[in-house]
Amino acid sequence: MAKVVEQELYCTVCGATKDIPLCCGKEMELDGIILFCSTCGREIKVSRHCGKEMLIRNKVIDLKKEIFGKL
């Protein structure tokens, strides 16, 4: 089965989610509490929500269900 792993920022307090920032056309990578771009070296702090840093969470998507489940 075709599955895709997507990452998102996740608030452990309230469950809110946010897309990982993009730089140079791709998602930034996490290094501790800093997000960085492996292409240009730009760094930003991880977003805060409910007074805490958001965590990166992996979300597995089943493409077969996404495509054929809606038919």
Side-chain angles (χ1 to χ4, degrees):
M1 294 191 186
K3 295 188 180 191
V4 176
V5 177
E6 290 185 353
Q7 293 184 324
E8 62 188 0
L9 292 171
Y10 174 73
C11 177
T12 57
V13 177
C14 71
T17 60
K18 184 177 178 183
D19 291 335
I20 294 176
L22 299 176
C23 187
C24 297
K26 60 182 182 176
E27 289 183 345
M28 298 180 86
E29 299 176 28
L30 182 66
D31 182 23
I33 59 169
I34 301 291
L35 289 167
F36 72 97
C37 176
S38 59
T39 304
C40 70
R42 177 178 169 218
E43 296 181 347
I44 59 171
K45 289 184 179 181
V46 174
S47 298
R48 294 179 63 88
H49 199 274
C50 296
K52 298 177 92 177
E53 280 86 17
M54 297 179 88
L55 301 176
I56 290 187
R57 175 173 79 169
N58 291 328
K59 182 171 67 171
V60 178
I61 298 172
D62 185 350
L63 292 177
K64 188 175 179 181
K65 280 186 182 178
E66 285 291 316
I67 295 170
F68 298 112
K70 296 177 182 177
L71 296 177

